[in-house]
Amino acid sequence: MGLSKVSNIEALVKQIKEEMLPDIDPYSFVSASAYDTAWLAMVPADSDQTCPMFKECLEWVVNNQTKVGCWGECVDTIDTLSATLACVIAIHKWSIGPNNIKRGLDFVQENAEKILRKTEDHFPRWFTIIFPGMIELARKVGIQLAFPSQLNAFLLDIFHKRQLLLDTEELIGNQYYPPLLSYLEALPPSYDVSERDITMNLNGDGSLFQSPAATASAFMATGNERSLSYLQTVVGRCANGVPPTFPMDEELIRLCLVNQLQRLGLANHFTHEIEEILVQIYRNYKTLEWLDKASNNIVDVGIQLHKDSLAFRLLRMHGYSISPRHFCWFLNNQEVRAQIQENQGYFTISMLNVYRATDLMFPGENEVEEARSFCRKVLEKITLKDSSLASTGLNKM
């Protein structure tokens, strides 16, 4: 490698160090959700219903359209379709950016078939709910959508599958997670959701399942002050677009950053910064009582498993002495094991991370072997289920 390239890399590393680890807000490392940011951009100001309450969110939407006209990190995935429609609706609501709207609609109409065909008959549950909801909302506010005629039957099938979900699932039920109410912003007008349904299910922080999009919709429907406070907090912490869920575990964000640096082969440039993070994580794990990690909340369980398994793997890789009990705690909790078995799709990422952590097993660590066996069985069931759904044409949960 030439000296000029080396000096360029060193200059970039120095710039990154000055702007990131370890003092900057961890939320600055979290990718913004165009979909959720668009929903906050739709919230009108209390004093003037003709302008947005969160102008910074609307500005983010206007300024973050890609060159090809869509919104989102990947231009050829199904989430891009929902995000782009939501952003177009937000811009249209405030009668600005006609060029942004045209480019967004052109992208959706020209690429929907190609993107949808890639995942044909194998859409995740969230997409089956959200995508038809965004199409309906766009048409309701007067946005003209003209999909290719050959896609009409396909779209009708997606709408039909959405209706089956709405007919068979409860608004708040234990069969599927997250429940239908967590997709409040995308539910059709014909689906009767009362103000009481919303307010009775708000979290203590005023959010609806810690979803910025659903909470924005909840606030517009109820005017609940706690929901407003939550939205204001989200925007205050996440000025550069809001995340898909809030709040997030800040230690987990830092662990993910360390993991990403290692995956990219850049860890040797950030040795000191990584060590500072891991020293603090290790100190916390040594002082916290692992038995207190059990929770009845499925979200908390999933996040805790993800965090603990990632921490265990990174700490062992860096020579720290850490007991497997810090991520194998779920084995001794029958309720948690039952939650994982009943909501396998939701725990896919958590189980994959636990399985990866077991790669760093020492001889004689029977609980790690048990965790590996448990995760393997869950992941195999998920794989078999996905294969079955692909062959039968049913939706993945």
Side-chain angles (χ1 to χ4, degrees):
M1 184 181 294
L3 290 177
S4 60
K5 289 186 177 179
V6 172
S7 60
N8 287 339
I9 292 175
E10 291 176 347
L12 287 171
V13 168
K14 181 180 179 181
Q15 180 182 348
I16 293 171
K17 286 184 177 182
E18 290 174 352
E19 297 178 358
M20 52 190 288
L21 299 166
D23 298 323
I24 201 167
D25 187 346
Y27 280 96
S28 63
F29 299 120
V30 179
S31 297
S33 163
Y35 178 80
D36 290 84
T37 305
W39 271 98
L40 266 72
M42 295 183 210
V43 178
D46 285 337
S47 58
D48 185 357
Q49 294 287 306
T50 64
C51 65
M53 176 177 289
F54 303 112
K55 295 180 180 179
E56 53 269 77
C57 291
L58 181 60
E59 290 173 359
W60 186 94
V61 169
V62 172
N63 294 328
N64 281 272
Q65 188 174 22
T66 67
K67 292 181 180 179
V68 296
C70 68
W71 280 266
E73 294 187 338
C74 301
V75 300
D76 59 349
T77 56
I78 54 176
D79 56 308
T80 299
L81 296 175
S82 301
T84 299
L85 284 177
C87 289
V88 166
I89 293 167
I91 295 174
H92 176 273
K93 180 170 184 174
W94 306 115
S95 302
I96 63 171
N99 185 54
N100 298 87
I101 294 174
K102 181 182 183 305
R103 292 174 57 226
L105 291 178
D106 286 346
F107 174 85
V108 171
Q109 291 163 171
E110 293 170 7
N111 293 275
E113 182 176 12
K114 177 182 66 177
I115 294 173
L116 293 173
R117 296 290 182 191
K118 287 174 59 178
T119 323
E120 188 170 359
D121 290 330
H122 192 45
F123 298 118
R125 173 173 168 266
W126 67 264
F127 182 80
T128 307
I129 299 170
I130 288 178
F131 184 56
M134 293 306 98
I135 292 177
E136 287 178 334
L137 182 57
R139 288 173 172 164
K140 179 182 177 181
V141 299
I143 296 173
Q144 300 299 317
L145 288 170
F147 293 105
S149 57
Q150 62 268 28
L151 197 58
N152 289 339
F154 197 18
L155 291 174
L156 285 173
D157 186 52
I158 296 176
F159 272 81
H160 176 67
K161 288 183 169 68
R162 193 269 302 262
Q163 191 59 47
L164 289 177
L165 291 177
L166 298 180
D167 290 341
T168 57
E169 294 184 23
E170 298 178 0
L171 187 64
I172 295 291
N174 298 322
Q175 184 179 7
Y176 298 100
Y177 194 90
L180 285 178
L181 186 58
S182 67
Y183 303 104
L184 175 65
E185 78 283 356
L187 296 179
S190 59
Y191 196 92
D192 186 24
V193 181
S194 68
E195 183 172 332
R196 185 175 183 276
D197 289 330
I198 298 171
T199 55
M200 288 290 291
N201 288 283
L202 292 177
N203 291 4
D205 59 5
S207 73
L208 198 59
F209 298 95
Q210 298 182 337
S211 164
T215 308
S217 180
F219 172 68
M220 287 188 282
T222 67
N224 187 279
E225 289 296 324
R226 289 191 297 133
S227 296
L228 173 59
S229 178
Y230 169 84
L231 296 174
Q232 291 171 333
T233 301
V234 174
V235 174
R237 286 297 305 274
C238 310
N240 190 29
V242 305
T245 184
F246 183 92
M248 302 177 73
D249 188 313
E250 296 187 17
E251 277 196 348
L252 176 56
I253 296 174
R254 293 186 183 278
L255 283 168
C256 290
L257 176 62
V258 173
N259 186 51
Q260 189 66 11
L261 287 172
Q262 292 197 162
R263 291 180 60 189
L264 293 173
L266 300 173
N268 60 320
H269 294 291
F270 299 91
T271 305
H272 175 70
E273 291 78 11
I274 289 174
E275 191 63 24
E276 280 193 352
I277 291 176
L278 294 182
V279 164
Q280 185 58 53
I281 298 291
Y282 181 69
R283 192 175 294 137
N284 291 345
Y285 271 85
K286 294 296 286 185
T287 56
L288 292 176
E289 177 54 56
W290 64 277
L291 289 173
D292 291 335
K293 293 180 180 179
S295 170
N296 293 326
N297 186 308
I298 188 172
V299 177
D300 293 340
V301 171
I303 293 174
Q304 195 67 54
L305 281 173
H306 184 180
K307 177 182 176 181
D308 291 343
S309 55
L310 184 56
F312 174 85
R313 181 164 63 84
L314 291 174
L315 288 170
R316 275 212 169 172
M317 286 175 64
H318 285 80
Y320 288 88
S321 176
I322 182 167
S323 170
R325 69 181 186 181
H326 287 291
F327 83 103
C328 292
W329 53 267
F330 71 96
L331 293 173
N332 300 316
N333 189 306
Q334 292 302 317
E335 187 172 350
V336 169
R337 291 177 69 140
Q339 283 183 336
I340 295 171
Q341 295 282 11
E342 293 168 5
N343 299 276
Q344 294 171 358
Y346 181 79
F347 283 99
T348 303
I349 301 299
S350 300
M351 289 294 95
L352 184 58
N353 275 284
V354 172
Y355 189 82
R356 286 172 176 164
T358 64
D359 287 339
L360 281 80
M361 179 183 356
F362 291 157
E365 290 184 332
N366 296 329
E367 58 189 331
V368 182
E369 184 65 53
E370 183 182 354
R372 188 175 182 86
S373 176
F374 179 86
C375 292
R376 183 191 296 116
K377 291 177 181 178
V378 172
L379 292 170
E380 285 175 347
K381 287 181 180 178
I382 293 170
T383 303
L384 288 172
K385 181 179 180 181
D386 286 351
S387 299
S388 173
L389 291 176
S391 63
T392 59
L394 296 175
N395 280 314
K396 182 174 70 174
M397 192 188 97

